[in-house]
Amino acid sequence: MLVSIILLVSGLFILVKGADILISSSVAIGKRLNVSEFFIGLIVVGFGTSLCELLVSIDAVIKNSPDISVGNVIGSNIANILLVTFAAGITAELKSIKVSIFDLSFHLGSHFLFLLIFLFTFLDRSFGLLFLLLFVLYLFKSFRNSTSETIEESNIENDLFSNLSHLQPIKYGLPISILAIIITLLGADITVDAAIKISNILNVSDSFIGLTIIALGTSLPEIATSITASKKGKSNIIIGNIIGSNIYNLLLILGFTSLFENFSYNKELLSKDVIILFLASMVFTIIIFKKIKIGKIVSVLCFIFYLLYLLSLYFSNF
């Protein structure tokens, strides 16, 4: 048991570190090649912060533990809304938030669609293809709606990997990015293996592990990014990070993993969590739409709700 826990923590650390290196190097390469910063933020950073969830989910399905995959996405999105908001808002008050109606509506609509599919039918290949199509349409629409304000908010990190990648994109940047992907893949493999062993030892469902430990671990990039952005007063980056990451998780990851032949999930075990996810996304939408300042009160409430959610999971599994 102790060995499995150590492996799980190690796997999560490797996973997050690999994704962090990939984001830094990719952004620097894009800047060097004069690629639109909005494009970098949407494609590279958005994908990078969701890379953990993507690789863990694919690895879980391949290893015949698809409940970990689905639970990871649901749990990560709940953590993104409640925990990331808490971490950012408790660091500094989030105000003057500007999010387009399109992004806000698409975020809520995606969760509502997922809720309907989950409760009344099954997420199969046809719905998976629909999710992927919606994801591509979202990227296309977001790219067309990009503004100069969005573009200005992407910066190169001042670290070794970023500097080397920016200096020599092909000589240093490409190998660093490839190495980062390999590191992240290794972390995902270790994490899933350890999670499966722990769930077997504790005699709990794979979905419970996916909803809690793995979801928390794979949400670390979003949490770290949001805390940093909060310190710099970049409220829009934080909210954009939450919305973008959730859409990536829901449409890209679930859409892709549902194409696998052995993809399945325990509908009965996860139904409550899907409802909670939708309710959280609805409250989140209201807060942003009404331009409610996210300060300590809202942040603490988010944290309390997340703790209550974790407690409900604990008591329903032990």
Side-chain angles (χ1 to χ4, degrees):
M1 178 69 173
L2 180 60
V3 174
S4 296
I5 292 174
I6 293 172
L7 285 173
L8 180 67
V9 174
S10 301
L12 286 171
F13 175 79
I14 295 170
L15 190 70
V16 172
K17 192 61 182 175
D20 182 56
I21 295 172
L22 179 63
I23 292 169
S24 298
S25 62
S26 299
V27 168
I29 292 171
K31 292 277 286 185
R32 179 66 175 178
L33 299 177
N34 294 320
V35 177
S36 161
E37 289 189 358
F38 172 78
F39 187 80
I40 296 169
L42 183 65
I43 303 299
V44 179
V45 178
F47 177 76
T49 54
S50 292
L51 184 64
C52 299
E53 287 92 341
L54 176 63
L55 295 181
V56 164
S57 296
I58 292 173
D59 200 55
V61 173
I62 291 173
K63 293 178 178 176
N64 292 314
S65 295
D67 275 340
I68 288 181
S69 173
V70 180
N72 178 33
V73 169
I74 296 170
S76 291
N77 279 20
I78 292 173
N80 284 345
I81 293 172
L82 298 179
L83 207 55
V84 173
T85 301
F86 159 74
I90 208 72
T91 303
E93 186 179 81
L94 308 185
K95 50 189 177 182
S96 302
I97 299 170
K98 297 177 182 177
V99 180
S100 71
I101 296 297
F102 167 72
D103 288 317
L104 208 54
S105 302
F106 196 91
H107 178 260
L108 181 62
S110 298
H111 284 87
F112 182 60
L113 176 62
F114 178 55
L115 175 70
L116 292 179
I117 292 172
F118 200 95
L119 294 182
F120 299 110
T121 180
F122 191 85
L123 183 61
D124 55 16
R125 285 185 180 180
S126 58
F127 284 119
L129 290 172
L130 173 63
F131 274 23
L132 291 175
L133 176 62
L134 288 173
F135 177 71
V136 172
L137 290 175
Y138 173 72
L139 291 185
F140 177 74
K141 182 69 174 176
S142 296
F143 183 75
R144 292 193 63 182
N145 288 349
S146 62
T147 63
S148 58
E149 181 181 1
T150 307
I151 292 174
E152 289 172 0
E153 291 182 325
S154 175
N155 296 300
I156 299 174
E157 296 294 327
N158 186 25
D159 58 53
L160 177 63
F161 299 111
S162 296
N163 292 331
L164 286 175
S165 298
H166 187 260
L167 182 66
Q168 293 284 347
I170 304 300
K171 185 177 180 180
Y172 297 124
L174 191 58
I176 288 173
S177 296
I178 293 172
L179 178 63
I181 291 173
I182 293 172
I183 291 172
T184 310
L185 282 168
L186 175 64
D189 191 60
I190 295 172
T191 300
V192 172
D193 280 342
I196 292 172
K197 288 178 182 177
I198 290 173
S199 66
N200 290 333
I201 293 170
L202 296 177
N203 196 28
V204 295
S205 64
D206 286 345
S207 58
F208 173 77
I209 298 295
L211 285 165
T212 53
I213 300 171
I214 295 181
L216 277 168
T218 55
S219 290
L220 288 178
E222 286 87 351
I223 294 172
T225 300
S226 295
I227 290 175
T228 302
S230 183
K231 289 178 180 178
K232 296 178 180 179
K234 303 290 186 180
S235 300
N236 291 328
I237 289 181
I238 296 163
I239 303 304
N241 183 30
I242 294 171
I243 291 175
S245 181
N246 282 358
I247 290 174
Y248 268 84
N249 290 346
L250 209 58
L251 299 182
L252 175 63
I253 296 175
L254 281 184
F256 184 73
T257 52
S258 66
L259 301 181
F260 286 78
E261 283 188 15
N262 61 335
F263 178 81
S264 63
Y265 52 85
N266 192 319
K267 189 173 181 177
E268 185 178 343
L269 280 178
L270 292 167
S271 293
K272 179 192 70 175
D273 305 285
V274 174
I275 293 171
I276 290 173
L277 171 59
F278 175 70
L279 291 176
S281 64
M282 191 164 60
V283 172
F284 175 78
T285 301
I286 293 170
I287 290 173
I288 304 304
F289 182 75
K290 294 289 186 180
K291 300 186 184 301
I292 298 172
K293 291 181 180 179
I294 302 175
K296 286 183 170 54
I297 294 176
V298 174
S299 300
V300 170
L301 285 174
C302 285
F303 186 65
I304 290 172
F305 286 137
Y306 189 71
L307 283 182
L308 290 173
Y309 169 65
L310 290 182
L311 284 173
S312 71
L313 285 176
Y314 176 82
F315 287 119
S316 63
N317 280 271
F318 292 97

